Amino acid sequence: MASIPSRDPAQRRLPLLIAILFLSYLCVAIPLPAVPVYVTGQLGLDNAWAGLGTGMTFLTAILSRGPAGGLSDRRGAKAAVARGLVLYGVGGLVSLSAGLLQDRPVAAFLTLLAGRVLLGLGESFAGVGVVAWGIGIAGPQRTGKVLSLVGAAIYGALAVGGPIGLALLDRAGFASAMAVSAALPCLGLLAIWPLAGIAPHPQAARPSFVGVMGRIWLHGLIVCLQGIGFAAIGAFFALYFLSRMWDYAGLGLTAFGGGFVLMRVVFGHLPDRIGGLLVATGSLAVEAAGQFLVWSAHDPILALAGAFMTGLGCSMIFPSMGREVVHLVPPHLRGTALGGFTAFQDLAYGLTGPLVGFLADRAGYSSVFLVGGAAAGLGVVLSLYLRRARVAEMA
């Protein structure tokens, strides 16, 4: 009787890796809504500073995505993930100390910025490493699926971590919330320790980082425009609700994350099946509609519905564009290319906070979501341009 072949052991590593990412990313998710509330409510600073505190993590990640991708290519993805988790933990501890300086607002804010910088470095190395590791396990033909799973873990963590962060802030204080976020990466580090990594490419010839970026920058720009909507919700949705004295201020990220994860679970296969550009075009249109709904909402239920639609729209854009990027570069440059590609998303997350915070001080919180809708609409135009260019190349 013929034996039934066992499942490839390498394939069993992917779900475990995704679970580790979910657990560890809670250390990013928990502070995300808590930081602006802490900065404005307890330190007494204005919205622009709150936006800077939120966005500093992503601004830092922009500058470190290239080195993170290079480390992943040269020494292996596992080394990049391990370094990222260590930086996560240290960043959480520094942020914790900021919560102990509440009576000294300037010192507290500067300490918080230092913690957010370390958290950004951790996000860069861990994020790029997990993506490269997952593609190495599943193969480049399943890039869309891997990126969908990675995004589901990240935004699932945001959906869960946002309410946890606000609840901890309300009941136990900012320092306690940061203590929880600092402990989680330590669990992730223990979990990856026995996992086998993937082979690095230490000797392969490499073009400059700028040369790699020249191949993928339009795809990255689309992801940047997509990220503005999420950044607006992450940084200002709770403050928007509080300014209108609406209930459910902590559920913005939950609504966004619910739509995001639902789309990934049900339609995560679409980029690999029908192509990334087609999926991205439709997704950007849905995101724009969701942002405009939040902007125009006259009650909290409509605003939450808009956040849910924004999650539906944002969900498939990163894996769709990421699939296109992976197929534009050879295997030994995947980590570098994905690092540069992800930096465009970090750019959106990092700049949106302080820039639209400045706008919110002058035009109200609803204006933030108008900007998010306009950015997604521009993304639709760019994705249509890339689709037309692809058709022209094939003709």
mmCIF file of all heavy atoms in Angstrom, residues 275-302:
data_model
loop_
_atom_site.group_PDB
_atom_site.id
_atom_site.type_symbol
_atom_site.label_atom_id
_atom_site.label_comp_id
_atom_site.label_asym_id
_atom_site.label_seq_id
_atom_site.Cartn_x
_atom_site.Cartn_y
_atom_site.Cartn_z
ATOM 1 N N GLY A 275 -3.731 39.015 -11.063
ATOM 2 C CA GLY A 275 -2.764 40.088 -11.242
ATOM 3 C C GLY A 275 -2.916 41.207 -10.229
ATOM 4 O O GLY A 275 -4.038 41.570 -9.851
ATOM 5 N N GLY A 276 -1.783 41.753 -9.794
ATOM 6 C CA GLY A 276 -1.799 42.740 -8.737
ATOM 7 C C GLY A 276 -2.384 44.079 -9.131
ATOM 8 O O GLY A 276 -3.078 44.724 -8.341
ATOM 9 N N LEU A 277 -2.137 44.534 -10.348
ATOM 10 C CA LEU A 277 -2.590 45.871 -10.740
ATOM 11 C C LEU A 277 -4.109 45.966 -10.808
ATOM 12 O O LEU A 277 -4.698 46.979 -10.409
ATOM 13 C CB LEU A 277 -1.972 46.260 -12.081
ATOM 14 C CG LEU A 277 -0.471 46.554 -12.041
ATOM 15 C CD1 LEU A 277 0.084 46.723 -13.448
ATOM 16 C CD2 LEU A 277 -0.190 47.802 -11.208
ATOM 17 N N LEU A 278 -4.755 44.923 -11.299
ATOM 18 C CA LEU A 278 -6.212 44.930 -11.374
ATOM 19 C C LEU A 278 -6.827 44.979 -9.977
ATOM 20 O O LEU A 278 -7.767 45.749 -9.715
ATOM 21 C CB LEU A 278 -6.704 43.695 -12.134
ATOM 22 C CG LEU A 278 -8.215 43.560 -12.303
ATOM 23 C CD1 LEU A 278 -8.772 44.741 -13.086
ATOM 24 C CD2 LEU A 278 -8.554 42.247 -13.012
ATOM 25 N N VAL A 279 -6.288 44.170 -9.069
ATOM 26 C CA VAL A 279 -6.809 44.155 -7.700
ATOM 27 C C VAL A 279 -6.574 45.506 -7.018
ATOM 28 O O VAL A 279 -7.452 46.036 -6.329
ATOM 29 C CB VAL A 279 -6.147 43.022 -6.895
ATOM 30 C CG1 VAL A 279 -6.587 43.077 -5.432
ATOM 31 C CG2 VAL A 279 -6.506 41.659 -7.490
ATOM 32 N N ALA A 280 -5.390 46.089 -7.234
ATOM 33 C CA ALA A 280 -5.070 47.360 -6.584
ATOM 34 C C ALA A 280 -5.990 48.481 -7.044
ATOM 35 O O ALA A 280 -6.398 49.331 -6.235
ATOM 36 C CB ALA A 280 -3.619 47.730 -6.856
ATOM 37 N N THR A 281 -6.342 48.501 -8.315
ATOM 38 C CA THR A 281 -7.197 49.575 -8.831
ATOM 39 C C THR A 281 -8.552 49.583 -8.131
ATOM 40 O O THR A 281 -9.029 50.625 -7.653
ATOM 41 C CB THR A 281 -7.390 49.420 -10.345
ATOM 42 O OG1 THR A 281 -6.110 49.419 -10.996
ATOM 43 C CG2 THR A 281 -8.233 50.549 -10.911
ATOM 44 N N GLY A 282 -9.194 48.424 -8.059
ATOM 45 C CA GLY A 282 -10.480 48.345 -7.375
ATOM 46 C C GLY A 282 -10.375 48.633 -5.890
ATOM 47 O O GLY A 282 -11.246 49.300 -5.302
ATOM 48 N N SER A 283 -9.293 48.170 -5.267
ATOM 49 C CA SER A 283 -9.119 48.364 -3.829
ATOM 50 C C SER A 283 -8.956 49.830 -3.478
ATOM 51 O O SER A 283 -9.514 50.324 -2.484
ATOM 52 C CB SER A 283 -7.898 47.569 -3.355
ATOM 53 O OG SER A 283 -8.084 46.181 -3.525
ATOM 54 N N LEU A 284 -8.191 50.555 -4.274
ATOM 55 C CA LEU A 284 -7.993 51.983 -4.018
ATOM 56 C C LEU A 284 -9.307 52.764 -4.132
ATOM 57 O O LEU A 284 -9.552 53.704 -3.368
ATOM 58 C CB LEU A 284 -6.965 52.540 -4.995
ATOM 59 C CG LEU A 284 -5.512 52.175 -4.696
ATOM 60 C CD1 LEU A 284 -4.654 52.315 -5.948
ATOM 61 C CD2 LEU A 284 -4.956 53.033 -3.565
ATOM 62 N N ALA A 285 -10.155 52.359 -5.057
ATOM 63 C CA ALA A 285 -11.458 53.021 -5.192
ATOM 64 C C ALA A 285 -12.313 52.808 -3.939
ATOM 65 O O ALA A 285 -12.989 53.735 -3.463
ATOM 66 C CB ALA A 285 -12.176 52.506 -6.432
ATOM 67 N N VAL A 286 -12.272 51.596 -3.385
ATOM 68 C CA VAL A 286 -13.037 51.314 -2.167
ATOM 69 C C VAL A 286 -12.471 52.109 -0.990
ATOM 70 O O VAL A 286 -13.220 52.663 -0.180
ATOM 71 C CB VAL A 286 -13.013 49.801 -1.865
ATOM 72 C CG1 VAL A 286 -13.657 49.507 -0.511
ATOM 73 C CG2 VAL A 286 -13.738 49.027 -2.961
ATOM 74 N N GLU A 287 -11.136 52.177 -0.898
ATOM 75 C CA GLU A 287 -10.534 52.962 0.183
ATOM 76 C C GLU A 287 -10.953 54.421 0.104
ATOM 77 O O GLU A 287 -11.290 55.051 1.124
ATOM 78 C CB GLU A 287 -9.013 52.857 0.129
ATOM 79 C CG GLU A 287 -8.349 53.657 1.250
ATOM 80 C CD GLU A 287 -6.854 53.820 1.080
ATOM 81 O OE1 GLU A 287 -6.286 53.276 0.124
ATOM 82 O OE2 GLU A 287 -6.248 54.518 1.922
ATOM 83 N N ALA A 288 -10.921 54.990 -1.102
ATOM 84 C CA ALA A 288 -11.320 56.389 -1.263
ATOM 85 C C ALA A 288 -12.751 56.602 -0.788
ATOM 86 O O ALA A 288 -13.053 57.577 -0.076
ATOM 87 C CB ALA A 288 -11.164 56.809 -2.722
ATOM 88 N N ALA A 289 -13.646 55.686 -1.148
ATOM 89 C CA ALA A 289 -15.038 55.806 -0.722
ATOM 90 C C ALA A 289 -15.154 55.753 0.797
ATOM 91 O O ALA A 289 -15.928 56.506 1.408
ATOM 92 C CB ALA A 289 -15.875 54.699 -1.370
ATOM 93 N N GLY A 290 -14.382 54.873 1.432
ATOM 94 C CA GLY A 290 -14.414 54.768 2.886
ATOM 95 C C GLY A 290 -13.928 56.029 3.571
ATOM 96 O O GLY A 290 -14.527 56.501 4.554
ATOM 97 N N GLN A 291 -12.845 56.619 3.073
ATOM 98 C CA GLN A 291 -12.328 57.848 3.662
ATOM 99 C C GLN A 291 -13.317 59.010 3.510
ATOM 100 O O GLN A 291 -13.514 59.794 4.445
ATOM 101 C CB GLN A 291 -10.994 58.207 3.005
ATOM 102 C CG GLN A 291 -9.838 57.317 3.432
ATOM 103 C CD GLN A 291 -9.363 57.639 4.836
ATOM 104 O OE1 GLN A 291 -8.671 58.618 5.075
ATOM 105 N NE2 GLN A 291 -9.759 56.815 5.786
ATOM 106 N N PHE A 292 -13.937 59.101 2.351
ATOM 107 C CA PHE A 292 -14.920 60.166 2.150
ATOM 108 C C PHE A 292 -16.139 59.968 3.066
ATOM 109 O O PHE A 292 -16.752 60.946 3.504
ATOM 110 C CB PHE A 292 -15.357 60.229 0.688
ATOM 111 C CG PHE A 292 -14.297 60.757 -0.241
ATOM 112 C CD1 PHE A 292 -14.046 60.137 -1.450
ATOM 113 C CD2 PHE A 292 -13.544 61.878 0.100
ATOM 114 C CE1 PHE A 292 -13.062 60.619 -2.314
ATOM 115 C CE2 PHE A 292 -12.566 62.378 -0.750
ATOM 116 C CZ PHE A 292 -12.324 61.748 -1.961
ATOM 117 N N LEU A 293 -16.463 58.708 3.363
ATOM 118 C CA LEU A 293 -17.581 58.451 4.263
ATOM 119 C C LEU A 293 -17.241 58.902 5.687
ATOM 120 O O LEU A 293 -18.084 59.499 6.372
ATOM 121 C CB LEU A 293 -17.936 56.961 4.247
ATOM 122 C CG LEU A 293 -19.132 56.529 5.114
ATOM 123 C CD1 LEU A 293 -20.389 57.303 4.747
ATOM 124 C CD2 LEU A 293 -19.366 55.022 4.972
ATOM 125 N N VAL A 294 -16.018 58.630 6.151
ATOM 126 C CA VAL A 294 -15.609 59.115 7.468
ATOM 127 C C VAL A 294 -15.648 60.649 7.502
ATOM 128 O O VAL A 294 -16.132 61.256 8.458
ATOM 129 C CB VAL A 294 -14.195 58.614 7.827
ATOM 130 C CG1 VAL A 294 -13.758 59.173 9.181
ATOM 131 C CG2 VAL A 294 -14.143 57.083 7.864
ATOM 132 N N TRP A 295 -15.137 61.275 6.462
ATOM 133 C CA TRP A 295 -15.094 62.739 6.380
ATOM 134 C C TRP A 295 -16.490 63.353 6.486
ATOM 135 O O TRP A 295 -16.685 64.361 7.179
ATOM 136 C CB TRP A 295 -14.431 63.138 5.064
ATOM 137 C CG TRP A 295 -14.628 64.567 4.670
ATOM 138 C CD1 TRP A 295 -14.189 65.675 5.337
ATOM 139 C CD2 TRP A 295 -15.329 65.051 3.519
ATOM 140 N NE1 TRP A 295 -14.559 66.822 4.671
ATOM 141 C CE2 TRP A 295 -15.264 66.471 3.551
ATOM 142 C CE3 TRP A 295 -15.984 64.427 2.448
ATOM 143 C CZ2 TRP A 295 -15.844 67.260 2.559
ATOM 144 C CZ3 TRP A 295 -16.550 65.211 1.460
ATOM 145 C CH2 TRP A 295 -16.482 66.612 1.524
ATOM 146 N N SER A 296 -17.466 62.742 5.841
ATOM 147 C CA SER A 296 -18.803 63.330 5.776
ATOM 148 C C SER A 296 -19.769 62.795 6.829
ATOM 149 O O SER A 296 -20.925 63.212 6.865
ATOM 150 C CB SER A 296 -19.410 63.079 4.381
ATOM 151 O OG SER A 296 -19.539 61.676 4.137
ATOM 152 N N ALA A 297 -19.309 61.893 7.696
ATOM 153 C CA ALA A 297 -20.208 61.211 8.636
ATOM 154 C C ALA A 297 -20.814 62.204 9.631
ATOM 155 O O ALA A 297 -20.135 63.106 10.129
ATOM 156 C CB ALA A 297 -19.454 60.125 9.386
ATOM 157 N N HIS A 298 -22.091 61.993 9.923
ATOM 158 C CA HIS A 298 -22.766 62.832 10.917
ATOM 159 C C HIS A 298 -23.120 62.061 12.177
ATOM 160 O O HIS A 298 -23.757 62.596 13.082
ATOM 161 C CB HIS A 298 -24.033 63.455 10.331
ATOM 162 C CG HIS A 298 -24.981 62.455 9.724
ATOM 163 N ND1 HIS A 298 -25.796 61.654 10.479
ATOM 164 C CD2 HIS A 298 -25.210 62.125 8.422
ATOM 165 C CE1 HIS A 298 -26.506 60.870 9.683
ATOM 166 N NE2 HIS A 298 -26.179 61.133 8.438
ATOM 167 N N ASP A 299 -22.717 60.786 12.238
ATOM 168 C CA ASP A 299 -22.886 60.018 13.466
ATOM 169 C C ASP A 299 -21.790 58.952 13.525
ATOM 170 O O ASP A 299 -21.146 58.653 12.514
ATOM 171 C CB ASP A 299 -24.285 59.375 13.553
ATOM 172 C CG ASP A 299 -24.541 58.355 12.454
ATOM 173 O OD1 ASP A 299 -23.759 57.408 12.320
ATOM 174 O OD2 ASP A 299 -25.543 58.511 11.732
ATOM 175 N N PRO A 300 -21.531 58.368 14.712
ATOM 176 C CA PRO A 300 -20.406 57.445 14.856
ATOM 177 C C PRO A 300 -20.542 56.156 14.046
ATOM 178 O O PRO A 300 -19.534 55.583 13.629
ATOM 179 C CB PRO A 300 -20.373 57.153 16.364
ATOM 180 C CG PRO A 300 -21.725 57.515 16.865
ATOM 181 C CD PRO A 300 -22.191 58.634 16.007
ATOM 182 N N ILE A 301 -21.762 55.700 13.820
ATOM 183 C CA ILE A 301 -21.933 54.451 13.072
ATOM 184 C C ILE A 301 -21.467 54.614 11.632
ATOM 185 O O ILE A 301 -20.784 53.751 11.073
ATOM 186 C CB ILE A 301 -23.417 53.999 13.117
ATOM 187 C CG1 ILE A 301 -23.862 53.792 14.567
ATOM 188 C CG2 ILE A 301 -23.582 52.710 12.317
ATOM 189 C CD1 ILE A 301 -23.023 52.808 15.350
ATOM 190 N N LEU A 302 -21.806 55.739 11.014
ATOM 191 C CA LEU A 302 -21.344 55.991 9.649
ATOM 192 C C LEU A 302 -19.820 56.119 9.601
ATOM 193 O O LEU A 302 -19.170 55.624 8.663
ATOM 194 C CB LEU A 302 -21.984 57.259 9.096
ATOM 195 C CG LEU A 302 -23.432 57.150 8.603
ATOM 196 C CD1 LEU A 302 -23.940 58.516 8.166
ATOM 197 C CD2 LEU A 302 -23.537 56.162 7.446
#
